[in-house]
Amino acid sequence: MSVSSKSSGITSNRWFKPVAVTVGALVIALILVLVAQWLRTLDPVKQFLTDYPGHSELPEGAPTGLPAWLGWQHFLNMFFIVLIIRSGWQVRTTTRPPGYWTRNNKGFIKTRNAPTKISLDLWFHLTLDALWVLNGLIFIVLLFATGQWMRIVPTSWDVFPNAVSAGLQYASLNWPLENGWVNYNALQLLTYFITVFIAAPLAIITGIRMSGAWPKKAAVNKFYPIEAARKVHFPVMIYFVAFVIVHVTLVLATGALRNLNHMYASTDDANSWWGFAIFAASIVFTAAAWFLARPLFLRPIASLMGKVTNR
């Protein structure tokens, strides 16, 4: 066999797997849609959808609408998450870091032992983590101070059958009809709750355990080894990737202008393009940050917080 035929075979095999996975996923999705549409023709399922329309009643006094601060929080959270995923993947896959960073052991943060030298990629990842956590703390405080928590925290057991109902409606391509300005459907509510109160804390706890800031001789290390943190941290990142993809897809597919006005313009307007304009600007800003997040631009910033070296 010639070299060209061998390389051709390798190339075809390289393309075959992703194409096969894509085709398989599309076939499974089509089957799910057809099954969901068939189920909705059955009388017991029709009655179930009538009894559980897909959303739970909010507690008395729950706020209506999304305030401006939530729009800013949404943008900042998206911005940090995208760059955290990018930098986290670089930390996981880069074998030869473009540089190293050592913290200045003076000022507010001062330790007895010398600071640990880490890769520039890891410094960027940890810096983004710190900013994301700070933004998250502000978000949690405002969430409970304004009553917005009632929109994403389950307060009734019927949220679970309503989530099944909403899932069936999505799967059958007959979208739930609730107005997100007033009330999220049960599946959205549970997803947001998991993201804010389970996935985010898991990412923080496991990330801290894996960082150089964690004491190497802490007593808790016996019960919480770094290997356990690694096994959780990466799947949590995959969850956030999947959440972003599904979230953006549904926002655009279930009334893009109105949803974007909810999220970015703090208004329940189905015709204004203002929310879309802010969303588009945020995408451009995030894409620019993605492009600029490279050693040429990161080194000067990192040097303000410590010493940057090639080795």
Side-chain angles (χ1 to χ4, degrees):
M1 182 181 294
S2 65
V3 175
S4 60
S5 61
K6 286 183 179 180
S7 61
S8 176
I10 293 173
T11 302
S12 61
N13 289 334
R14 184 179 301 168
W15 282 101
F16 176 77
K17 187 174 182 179
V19 170
V21 170
T22 302
V23 172
L26 291 175
V27 170
I28 293 174
L30 177 60
I31 292 174
L32 287 175
V33 170
L34 294 175
V35 170
Q37 291 180 346
W38 169 73
L39 286 173
R40 295 194 64 166
T41 65
L42 303 179
D43 290 336
V45 176
K46 291 180 180 178
Q47 186 59 49
F48 175 78
L49 294 176
T50 300
D51 295 338
Y52 299 100
H55 62 272
S56 299
E57 294 298 326
L58 291 177
E60 186 177 352
T64 298
L66 303 176
W69 67 263
L70 198 55
W72 278 101
Q73 283 285 320
H74 190 275
F75 159 68
L76 290 173
N77 192 56
M78 176 201 72
F79 177 78
F80 290 134
I81 283 292
V82 169
L83 294 182
I84 284 172
I85 292 173
R86 178 190 189 276
S87 60
W89 184 253
Q90 285 181 314
V91 170
R92 185 179 178 88
T93 59
T94 300
T95 55
R96 296 184 62 182
Y100 294 87
W101 177 83
T102 306
R103 175 177 56 84
N104 290 327
N105 196 23
K106 51 188 173 181
F108 179 72
I109 301 177
K110 188 175 182 179
T111 57
R112 179 182 302 177
N113 298 322
T116 302
K117 181 169 64 175
I118 61 177
S119 71
L120 191 63
D121 292 333
L122 182 56
W123 165 82
F124 185 48
H125 185 66
L126 294 176
T127 301
L128 291 168
D129 286 341
L131 294 173
W132 179 61
V133 170
L134 176 61
N135 184 65
L137 290 175
I138 295 173
F139 170 74
I140 294 296
V141 170
L142 292 175
L143 196 70
F144 284 94
T146 61
Q148 286 287 331
W149 67 269
M150 288 182 273
R151 292 169 54 89
I152 65 170
V153 175
T155 57
S156 168
W157 287 109
D158 71 355
V159 68
F160 296 105
N162 273 304
V164 174
S165 173
L168 182 59
Q169 293 174 60
Y170 278 123
S172 65
L173 301 184
N174 190 355
W175 309 117
L177 298 177
E178 82 293 327
N179 181 2
W181 183 255
V182 178
N183 189 7
Y184 295 128
N185 69 56
L187 195 57
Q188 287 177 302
L189 187 153
L190 288 177
T191 303
Y192 296 153
F193 175 81
I194 291 171
T195 302
V196 173
F197 296 103
I198 298 179
L202 279 176
I204 295 170
I205 294 171
T206 55
I208 292 175
R209 178 63 183 91
M210 294 164 57
S211 75
W214 186 273
K216 297 181 179 180
K217 297 183 179 181
V220 73
N221 291 355
K222 181 178 179 180
F223 307 99
Y224 185 28
I226 191 172
E227 293 77 11
R230 289 196 180 108
K231 289 180 179 179
V232 174
H233 197 72
F234 184 70
V236 170
M237 186 196 77
I238 297 299
Y239 168 83
F240 275 108
V241 172
F243 171 80
V244 170
I245 293 173
V246 174
H247 180 59
V248 173
T249 300
L250 291 179
V251 165
L252 298 179
T254 59
L257 287 183
R258 190 174 194 180
N259 290 332
L260 291 175
N261 280 327
H262 289 177
M263 298 162 60
Y264 289 97
S266 299
T267 179
D268 188 26
D269 191 337
N271 299 312
S272 172
W273 286 79
W274 182 236
F276 176 83
I278 299 175
F279 169 71
S282 71
I283 293 297
V284 171
F285 185 82
T286 303
W290 180 290
F291 174 78
L292 295 174
R294 52 190 63 202
L296 176 64
F297 301 100
L298 293 181
R299 282 175 175 270
I301 301 174
S303 64
L304 298 175
M305 309 175 191
K307 182 180 180 181
V308 178
T309 58
N310 293 325
R311 297 182 181 179

